[in-house]
Amino acid sequence: MSAFPVELKGVSTRFGRQWVHKGIDLAVPAGEVVALVGGSGSGKTTLLRQMVGLLTPDEGELRVFGEPLFSGSRQMQLARRRRFGMLFQHGALFSAFNVFDNIAFPLREFGVVDEGLLRDLVLLKLAMVELEPEVARRMPAELSGGMVKRVALARALALEPELLLLDEPTAGLDPDLSAAFVALIRSLHQALGLTVILVTHDLDTLAALATRVAVLSAGRILAFGTLDDIMNVQDPFIERFFHGIRSQAALARGQGAG
Amino acid sequence: MTQSIRPLPAIRIDAGGDGVQVLLSGDWTLRLLCPLPPDIQQQLDLAPSDAGWSLAGVTRLDSFGALLLWRRWGRRRPLQLDLPVALEPVLARAEALPADALPLEPGYRFLDGTAQLGRGVYAIARHVLGFVILVGHIVIGLGGLLRQRERWPLREISANFYKVGVRAMPVTALVGFLIGVVMSYLSALQLRAFGADVFIVNILGLGIIRELGPVLVSVLVAGRSGSAMTAQLGVMRVTEEIDALTAMGISRHVRLVLPKVVALTLAMPLLTLWGSAVAIFGGMVSANLQLDLSFDFFLNALPRAVPAANLVIGLSKGAVFGLLIALVACYFGLRVRPNTESLSANTTASVVASITVVILVDAVFAIATRSFGLPYR
């Protein structure tokens, strides 16, 4: 595996006339949990969507596993895509499939044909996200918000990805559920040796999960380092984001949990 | 490719002094094992059941590889297993999996067929009941509006009228014109054989104004506007917009359904008039070219061949069909549950049901109006 699963060099993006990103340089080291933070509208999710190829940057270069995302033959592109999994903010489960088929879908597409093995694989993924086997029969519409996220995570993990991208993993979960979900991602990260990139607003999640933090502001990466490094950077945005009274309390809670 | 430098999975069966040893090496991962290379499959099958297994050479093991081995071992650890500590948790996860956690669903039996039929009958009954309830809600809403004149959703009615009426004019005209031409052309071939050329006016006039115009326009509108209404209400349901309206204390029936129903009931007679007129024009052009009937003659003969009652029947049919299409479309739109499958099923059901209802009601109309407007009896 390359040392940097995701590398961005001078990535710039604009919507209409407005530049969202102006030359972003970022190299995500393998095995780390990197959190992208920034004010709303700073283009965090845009950046994440560019990494999986849903959007293309207007300028600059984006490498995934050491190669540009859209390079090589169709087969190679497909193989590259199957090395990462993405958890969408609202789960993006296929509402016409039940939970079992949602998780089995990428495996079937990949070519797993043995139904017995497929069943075991799906149940194993469900167990990994701490869900009961009975959940497999339910439709996405019958799941609670926390369960949707877990099933979506199981689906993202179906193809044994090396890189996991999480868009607001704890948004819309109550503090209890969100702490449990964070613990789940942490244990999976340790067990599977994944590289994780997440976008979050939630400082609790950030403090408990991230080993590195990248701060996006005014279209650039303002700072990239461990949370302690970031806290020592003198900058008005970081000041406001991390040093408010509420933020301090959240960080203390998160680090205590970690 | 960075991937190609990973060590390929390999298996070797070693019949040494102290029993058979199966030695595994390389990456035992989904990416390299799916589809399973035939030589590995063969060796896996060959290994005797009492063999000792050594995973010491395995560089990576993911849950796919672990499950593959676990299933090969018959869901228990071999007596002799050399497993590196690093791989222990991966195998432990496979081990923790209950063998029969999710029994297969039973197959289809005769009794299930009977139950399905019964469910179908109940479903029809439920649809009828639901439709009556919807109509009831609309009537109650109308009752409320009669007391508060200023609350009529006039802007919504006007917007819907534009959408279902004005925007449907081009397609109605195109289809109407072509149908008129085709009918006139085919009838002319037959009529000329009997020397009864002039009766083309009767055939076209009666056929289109009384019957074909309203039905044709209804089918078009059901496909075009009915499906759009169902889909729109359905998506509003999925995105919880309807719930948001209810939470604000605004009746969905007054604000969403009523404008659609009123707009389509008003627009359909006009569309029918427009569609029939264009169809007759198409027939007139075709008759002119094929039978040399002049436009003047055609227009003079038309009122004599088609009593005015037919126009009233045609336009009232249009209004009734419009009312029914809108009601059916809204009924199915409000039934959508928040998933894509339900949206597509209800949109299909809406179009099929509204066209069926239109044709059924058309038959009722034909019987009920049999003593009006027919010149030669």
Side-chain angles (χ1 to χ4, degrees), chain B residues 14-336:
Chain B
D14 200 6
D18 47 342
V20 180
Q21 281 284 325
V22 185
L23 305 168
L24 305 183
S25 62
D27 274 11
W28 283 68
T29 56
L30 172 71
R31 234 162 288 288
L32 298 177
L33 286 172
C34 185
L36 199 60
D39 52 323
I40 291 187
Q41 175 74 64
Q42 193 191 1
Q43 294 285 305
L44 276 176
D45 292 343
L46 275 178
S49 54
D50 59 343
W53 291 71
S54 167
L55 273 62
V58 173
T59 38
R60 261 170 85 185
L61 181 69
D62 66 7
S63 48
F64 183 85
L67 269 176
L68 194 73
L69 291 174
W70 185 247
R71 289 169 64 84
R72 170 65 189 76
W73 294 335
R75 294 185 175 276
R76 56 187 173 81
R77 286 187 185 232
L79 293 174
Q80 249 191 346
L81 176 65
D82 178 13
L83 184 70
V85 182
L87 303 183
E88 180 61 44
V90 186
L91 192 63
R93 270 201 299 274
E95 209 168 357
L97 202 64
D100 52 351
L102 195 68
L104 284 173
E105 307 230 350
Y108 192 82
R109 286 167 308 161
F110 176 71
L111 203 62
D112 294 333
T114 320
Q116 207 169 9
L117 187 69
R119 270 198 294 273
V121 173
Y122 272 122
I124 293 174
R126 262 202 310 276
H127 280 310
V128 171
L129 185 67
F131 193 79
V132 172
I133 291 175
L134 175 73
V135 173
H137 273 299
I138 295 174
V139 171
I140 292 171
L142 271 176
L145 288 178
L146 286 183
R147 271 176 280 130
Q148 296 170 289
R149 296 260 170 90
E150 72 285 355
R151 301 217 17 212
W152 270 90
L154 290 177
R155 290 161 69 87
E156 283 91 340
I157 292 176
S158 150
N160 274 297
F161 188 85
Y162 177 73
K163 230 174 8 186
V164 300
V166 180
R167 299 280 291 274
M169 283 173 72
V171 67
T172 318
L174 179 70
V175 173
F177 183 80
L178 292 177
I179 292 282
V181 168
V182 169
M183 257 188 77
S184 167
Y185 176 75
L186 291 178
S187 317
L189 288 179
Q190 301 296 316
L191 290 175
R192 197 153 46 180
F194 299 105
D197 294 12
V198 290
F199 285 102
I200 188 110
V201 183
N202 301 50
I203 291 182
L204 287 182
L206 258 185
I208 288 174
I209 292 174
R210 189 180 172 112
E211 188 61 41
L212 205 56
V215 173
L216 192 74
V217 172
S218 297
V219 171
L220 274 178
V221 165
R224 184 189 173 280
S225 309
S227 61
M229 287 176 184
T230 308
Q232 190 192 13
L233 287 177
V235 172
M236 288 181 81
R237 179 105 206 177
V238 172
T239 54
E240 295 182 322
E241 288 171 58
I242 289 183
D243 296 341
L245 270 183
T246 311
M248 291 174 201
I250 295 169
S251 159
R252 69 186 80 166
H253 299 104
V254 170
R255 201 52 81 85
L256 296 175
V257 177
L258 189 72
K260 291 182 170 53
V261 174
V262 172
L264 201 58
T265 312
L266 292 179
M268 268 291 291
L270 299 178
L271 269 181
T272 306
L273 189 66
W274 163 250
S276 305
V278 177
I280 287 178
F281 175 70
M284 200 162 79
V285 170
S286 178
N288 182 252
L289 293 176
Q290 229 194 342
L291 299 175
D292 285 330
L293 286 185
S294 73
F295 289 172
D296 263 356
F297 173 79
F298 199 105
L299 289 175
N300 280 324
L302 194 60
R304 269 180 281 124
V306 186
N310 288 290
L311 192 64
V312 176
I313 292 173
L315 296 187
S316 358
K317 271 187 185 181
V320 172
F321 293 168
L323 176 75
L324 288 171
I325 291 172
L327 283 175
V328 169
C330 291
Y331 169 69
F332 281 104
L334 291 175
R335 279 192 68 221
V336 171

Side-chain angles (χ1 to χ4, degrees), chain A residues 101-168:
Chain A
D101 289 328
N102 259 288
I103 302 172
F105 181 76
L107 290 163
R108 287 196 176 116
E109 287 290 303
F110 190 79
V112 179
V113 283
D114 181 350
E115 280 295 317
L117 183 58
L118 195 67
R119 265 159 52 87
D120 279 350
L121 275 169
V122 170
L123 292 179
L124 183 67
K125 304 290 165 191
L126 274 180
M128 273 163 91
V129 296
E130 294 163 7
L131 286 176
E132 298 297 314
E134 286 73 37
V135 176
R137 291 268 168 72
R138 292 214 221 155
M139 297 303 283
E142 301 162 0
L143 301 176
S144 68
M147 285 163 102
V148 167
K149 293 249 170 177
R150 277 164 193 257
V151 173
L153 183 62
R155 188 179 70 179
L157 292 173
L159 291 183
E160 316 280 346
E162 298 157 48
L163 172 65
L164 187 62
L165 299 128
L166 312 171
D167 190 4
E168 299 278 2

